[in-house]
Amino acid sequence: MINDQAPAAPSSSVPDATPSVTGSAAGRIVGGLLVLAFAGMTGLFAPFLVMASDGCNEGDARTICSVGAQQVVGNLPVIAAFVAALLAVMGMGSRGTAGRVCLLAAPFPPALAWVVSLAIVGA
């Protein structure tokens, strides 16, 4: 025989472990931009729920008719949008576990603001 050695196993040029989408920079940027868009819409449009108090009369017992509830419905979405934007930017800028946690936590303040505001308006 010309070659006494056994043929070597074919080597693969593609690695077995591919990076996950959530760990990639593109995934963080896209996720962060979606959270920023949600926070922006919350900060812009949720305070308009205060207009539900337009139909309030003297002695109306609805929750939205009190001054404190109107303050909460008007200010809570703006504050939640600001917190969500901070968390999203921190999550997009960090590659570690803290960045992922910030990015995953960012949608919760605006969602909570919507739930609280709609509960006050509907009550």
Side-chain angles (χ1 to χ4, degrees):
M1 281 183 132
I2 297 174
N3 189 1
D4 290 338
Q5 296 176 352
S11 63
S12 175
S13 62
V14 178
D16 291 337
T18 57
S20 66
V21 176
T22 58
S24 69
R28 281 194 323 270
I29 298 298
V30 169
L33 290 176
L34 288 172
V35 170
L36 285 174
F38 179 47
M41 292 299 153
T42 299
L44 287 174
F45 295 119
F48 287 130
L49 292 174
V50 173
M51 291 190 300
S53 67
D54 286 347
C56 292
N57 296 324
E58 190 74 29
D60 202 342
R62 293 184 296 160
T63 307
I64 191 61
C65 295
S66 70
V67 175
Q70 291 173 8
Q71 293 286 331
V72 169
V73 170
N75 293 329
L76 181 65
V78 175
I79 294 168
F82 181 73
V83 170
L86 283 177
L87 287 171
V89 170
M90 287 172 31
M92 287 190 293
S94 177
R95 293 178 187 245
T97 304
R100 286 192 183 119
V101 169
C102 286
L103 200 55
L104 290 174
F108 289 103
L112 182 65
W114 276 106
V115 168
V116 170
S117 295
L118 289 173
I120 290 173
V121 168

